[in-house]
Amino acid sequence: MHSTPKSEGDIPARFESGVWGWLNRRTGLDNLLRTALDEPIPGGARFAYIFGSGLLFIFISQVITGIFLALYYVPSADHAHTTVAYITKAVTAGSFLRSLHAYGASAMVVVLFLHLSQTYVYGAYKGRRELLWLSGCALFGLVLAMAFTGYLLPWDQRAYFATAVGTNAVSEIPWIGESIKRLMRGGTEMGTLTISRFFVAHVFLIPAFIFALVASHIFLFRKAGAAGPVNEDPYHPKQDAELFYPRQVLMDLSLTALLIVGLGVLCFFVPVQLGPSANPADAQYVPRPEWYYLPIFQWLKYWHGSAAIIGVLAIPTLLVLAILALPFLDRSVERRPWKRPAAMGAYAFVVFSLVGLGLRSQYLDRHDSGVAQQLAKQRAEEDEYARKPFEPELSSASLAAANVTLADPLAANGKTIFEGQSCNACHGDGGGGTAAAPALLGVKAKFSPDQLADLFKHPTAKMNAGGMPPIDLPPNDLKALIAYVESLK
Amino acid sequence: MFEGAEHSENTTHKSSPPGLSLESRRSFLGGLLGLGSFLVGALLSVPLIRFALFPLLRRTTDLKESSVGALTDFSSLTEPVMRTIQIEQVDGWRKAVSEKAVYVTRDNQGQLRALTSICPHLGCTIPWNKEKNQFACPCHGATFAADGTRVSGPSLRGMDTLETSVQDGQLRVRFQYFRQLVADKEIIG
Ligand code: FES
């Protein structure tokens, strides 16, 4: 606490020569490091202040794991589930990385809540730190939006139905709700457009805002300065300051270490499961959101019809506005929680309400035997799917797809002739065409069967020149061949 | 804890050795933290690297062996028979299934052998000509003996044999494509 900020004069000698010295002269790296580490903390380092850097660590981890997951992921209703199954079941370390990303989202919400609570209980939003509070609130909203949009991307039953309910809840907002829902879904129903929208929001849009806001949050933090303990003046800090480095750094790192070990162990031993692919036709499925959305989920159950305007619009809007306006409404310089009974009461009320709603939702699920049974069945289905080995998706160009169109036995017979006569050597398998001869797809639209029979027996001069021989086949075989060629699409 | 060390240094041991100044203690800690972070970072990047290098360590594209039929079906084989096989091509997380025609015949020692029906000249499908007892390509007239060896015509080599194996009494074949218009068999996929 008696350390004084270092001036530029006493840069250690090893920074003046060699590669380090050169790099330092060109970049000012050492000064940058010092500016970062020599942040004065009024009243000294404390464990209460560790959550911010913990959040930064999780955010960076989410960015890195997210980028890596995108190596194999495809955002479309056709492929999303297969690619996530591939990541989870086939790719080395895939299950671990996906778990890290999914549990990381939960860890983010937990640490964010702790960070916000510490700021609130310590009265750290007071005085000179209004903008810091506002940017923090915006970041909270963005993190919840990330959790919401990311949840859909695996496109399994759980993700699909949770998001269907989530987007449906939006439509409860009076007047504009229905339009917002359609905008989010990219249509009235959930589908491949929904996944594109959620993907773009999750991977491009929201992260861009988060990067910008994290930067401004840190900038505003350094501009306003650390808040210090509860008995510190919120406008003009007076207490002796200790520098961020080394003790606060070590304390912050202890949380990071805890997060690494905790998440690592969790992801290794209890990896996140992938359920069976979304089946929109499944009317039995009982959707449940991720734990941090349970309170909102339960809350929305109480407000339907004309009451929705109060429960879905008025109360949440007022709550959000009150939280945003907090540093402007609460101008007193008192920061000690025991002297702020109203503020602490409000905090306790909100936290208890959220926990209570979450628990209530769980309680109802356990005590409704129909729901409990269905939920258990869904879990069993997930377990069963998770145990199955990875099965590649059949590409649409495949035989199975081609065979579907050949239900007509005559055409199927024609296919054998097409191949037996080596027509496919020049016209390609399935009449897809090659360099030697044109494709036969869609021939039906141009020629009637009689015209085709005529062409087969007497090819035009152009066809002759291209190497097309006249076809000499028994009438029945010719008919079959024509039926097959006409079936090509 | 470091606070305590600095205190004792400044109060009781005023004449501490020059190498143990506050600055050097701080930079020693800094070095330790730097090294620690580097090691933890290296450890954390192991799963990332394994994830990204997956296609390097495992096959992500694969051509599965396909079954041609039971061995007993071919025990009394006297001339080449054409069989349609389904080949499964795995490409990352998807697979394509297609049909290809192959011939099952015997080599000069009487062993079963599988031939692709694709002409090594320019790729037409070669039919078996029963009357002439040889393969005759309809496109440019290349002919091949029953075991696939070249007889006449523009092809520079005999018909291409395919790798076979026997599993559970089933004759299995690995379908492959070969370069056309060259004298030596050369796999292209
Ligand atoms: S393609 Fe068979 S002989 Fe030319």
Side-chain angles (χ1 to χ4, degrees):
Chain A
M1 283 170 218
H2 41 66
S3 317
T4 45
K6 301 281 168 233
S7 66
E8 276 201 59
D10 50 18
I11 290 173
R14 66 196 161 82
F15 281 121
E16 284 157 11
S17 57
V19 179
W20 274 114
W22 167 79
L23 199 66
N24 192 32
R25 282 193 300 281
R26 292 291 177 271
T27 59
L29 211 56
D30 195 48
N31 272 337
L32 203 69
L33 199 65
R34 271 159 192 277
T35 317
L37 294 178
D38 287 350
E39 161 75 11
I41 303 167
R46 281 173 197 229
F47 273 104
Y49 309 151
I50 59 178
F51 302 115
S53 61
L55 281 174
L56 197 58
F57 171 75
I58 303 175
F59 176 61
I60 292 168
S61 161
Q62 292 298 86
V63 171
I64 295 173
T65 49
I67 290 173
F68 274 81
L69 288 173
L71 274 178
Y72 299 97
Y73 179 73
V74 174
S76 101
D78 290 347
H79 308 313
H81 185 264
T82 312
T83 53
V84 177
Y86 188 61
I87 290 171
T88 322
K89 295 176 175 184
V91 182
T92 20
S95 174
F96 183 76
L97 283 193
R98 179 168 109 83
S99 303
L100 209 54
H101 198 70
Y103 284 137
S106 282
M108 191 86 159
V109 175
V110 171
V111 183
L112 194 50
F113 173 74
L114 293 172
H115 186 55
L116 184 84
S117 297
Q118 188 270 327
T119 307
Y120 186 83
V121 172
Y122 272 58
Y125 57 86
K126 293 187 172 217
R128 62 201 191 282
R129 307 175 105 229
E130 306 95 333
L131 286 177
L132 196 50
W133 173 262
L134 283 179
S135 60
C137 289
L139 279 168
F140 199 149
L142 290 175
V143 165
L144 288 181
M146 280 303 263
F148 183 69
T149 49
Y151 199 70
L152 174 70
L153 299 184
W155 203 251
D156 58 356
Q157 288 275 74
R158 176 190 281 270
Y160 176 88
F161 284 102
T163 309
V165 172
T167 43
N168 248 335
V170 174
S171 70
E172 299 270 353
I173 299 173
W175 309 303
I176 49 167
E178 196 56 38
S179 304
I180 299 179
K181 179 180 111 179
R182 281 180 61 174
L183 193 68
M184 288 169 83
R185 288 186 173 181
T188 44
E189 301 304 322
M190 299 257 300
T192 200
L193 292 186
T194 321
I195 222 171
S196 297
R197 275 161 190 260
F198 275 54
F199 180 74
V200 167
H202 188 78
V203 171
F204 301 109
L205 216 54
I206 309 175
F209 283 107
I210 293 186
F211 274 114
L213 274 160
V214 165
S216 63
H217 197 65
I218 293 171
F219 170 78
L220 290 166
F221 166 70
R222 293 304 300 262
K223 184 88 175 76
V230 292
N231 51 8
E232 177 61 290
D233 186 306
Y235 285 100
H236 311 287
K238 298 178 180 73
Q239 300 188 13
D240 278 352
E242 177 187 354
L243 297 188
F244 179 55
Y245 182 82
R247 286 184 62 232
Q248 188 68 57
V249 170
L250 288 173
M251 289 177 182
D252 284 14
L253 285 179
S254 68
L255 175 62
T256 308
L258 192 72
L259 284 167
I260 292 176
V261 173
L263 285 174
V265 168
L266 195 63
C267 295
F268 192 79
F269 291 105
V270 202
V272 171
Q273 275 194 358
L274 178 74
S277 181
N279 172 15
D282 186 345
Q284 304 299 308
Y285 200 87
V286 175
R288 285 296 172 265
E290 194 66 345
W291 64 269
Y292 39 80
Y293 274 115
L294 270 185
I296 302 180
F297 172 74
Q298 180 64 22
W299 170 258
L300 291 173
K301 283 192 203 165
Y302 299 121
W303 308 92
H304 278 299
S306 55
I309 191 163
I310 304 171
V312 182
L313 193 64
I315 297 179
T317 311
L318 283 177
L319 191 66
V320 169
L321 284 179
I323 292 172
L324 287 176
L326 187 66
F328 303 99
L329 298 175
D330 182 4
R331 298 304 289 175
S332 93
V333 293
E334 180 56 71
R335 287 183 50 196
R336 289 167 293 183
W338 55 91
K339 301 271 180 176
R340 296 156 53 219
M344 288 304 105
Y347 174 75
F349 177 74
V350 171
V351 172
F352 279 122
S353 305
L354 291 176
V355 173
L357 283 167
L359 290 179
R360 177 82 187 142
S361 163
Q362 296 262 292
Y363 175 87
L364 290 177
D365 283 353
R366 264 200 303 276
H367 287 79
D368 180 328
S369 62
V371 171
Q373 256 174 35
Q374 176 65 21
L375 286 175
K377 189 178 148 224
Q378 289 169 195
R379 270 194 299 275
E381 281 168 359
E382 265 179 30
D383 289 343
E384 194 199 322
Y385 178 79
R387 273 195 299 273
K388 278 194 222 153
F390 175 70
E391 177 57 32
E393 183 181 297
L394 202 59
S395 86
S396 53
S398 272
L399 176 75
N403 275 350
V404 174
T405 57
L406 281 186
D408 176 9
L410 191 64
N413 188 15
K415 181 168 183 265
T416 318
I417 298 168
F418 186 80
E419 279 152 14
Q421 293 291 316
S422 295
C423 304
N424 56 338
C426 296
H427 289 290
D429 284 330
T434 66
L440 302 173
L441 309 178
V443 151
K444 186 178 180 158
K446 290 181 213 142
F447 304 103
S448 69
D450 290 345
Q451 285 173 313
L452 270 186
D454 199 43
L455 273 179
F456 283 176
K457 281 184 235 159
H458 316 287
T460 62
K462 194 175 157 215
M463 285 160 75
N464 268 326
M468 169 84 185
I471 299 172
D472 184 21
L473 281 176
N476 277 340
D477 286 2
L478 191 66
K479 233 168 124 187
L481 183 63
I482 289 168
Y484 174 66
V485 170
E486 296 255 281
S487 80
L488 296 174
K489 283 196 270 287
Chain B
M1 58 185 193
F2 297 90
E3 206 60 29
E6 285 164 21
H7 259 293
S8 62
E9 203 177 309
N10 289 345
T11 52
T12 54
H13 302 285
K14 281 230 165 74
S15 57
S16 59
L20 278 175
S21 67
L22 174 64
E23 184 61 47
S24 79
R25 284 197 170 228
R26 274 179 63 131
S27 59
F28 174 69
L29 175 66
L32 212 62
L33 285 181
L35 188 71
S37 315
F38 177 77
L39 290 178
V40 172
L43 187 71
L44 292 183
S45 52
V46 169
L48 294 176
I49 292 169
R50 292 194 348 130
F51 186 77
L53 296 192
F54 170 70
L56 217 65
L57 309 172
R58 292 283 179 82
R59 288 189 72 92
T60 52
T61 52
D62 199 13
L63 193 63
K64 297 255 169 74
E65 279 193 342
S66 350
S67 169
V68 194
L71 269 187
T72 47
D73 293 1
F74 306 116
S75 51
S76 52
L77 197 71
T78 52
E79 57 167 17
V81 287
M82 190 191 242
R83 283 297 158 96
T84 309
I85 55 163
Q86 292 204 349
I87 57 172
E88 194 180 303
Q89 254 170 309
V90 177
D91 168 22
W93 45 265
R94 56 185 212 145
K95 65 175 181 190
V97 180
S98 52
E99 275 185 344
K100 286 286 173 249
V102 297
Y103 286 101
V104 179
T105 178
R106 289 190 190 279
D107 62 16
N108 46 20
Q109 268 121 52
Q111 296 293 314
L112 282 184
R113 143 187 287 191
L115 299 170
T116 168
S117 63
I118 299 175
C119 182
H121 176 229
L122 279 174
C124 287
T125 306
I126 311 170
W128 169 249
N129 190 318
K130 229 181 160 81
E131 292 85 54
K132 294 191 186 144
N133 195 36
Q134 63 182 14
F135 291 102
C137 182
C139 294
H140 316 94
T143 54
F144 307 90
D147 65 352
T149 46
R150 181 178 173 276
V151 175
S152 68
S155 176
L156 297 174
R157 63 173 190 265
M159 286 168 73
D160 297 305
T161 53
L162 298 167
E163 243 174 79
T164 53
S165 64
V166 176
Q167 205 183 315
D168 302 329
Q170 292 279 316
L171 181 67
R172 300 174 69 83
V173 56
R174 179 181 291 277
F175 191 86
Q176 278 168 319
Y177 288 95
F178 304 92
R179 191 171 304 288
Q180 292 159 1
L181 279 178
V182 291
D184 293 309
K185 186 173 149 190
E186 188 185 328
I187 298 168
I188 52 171

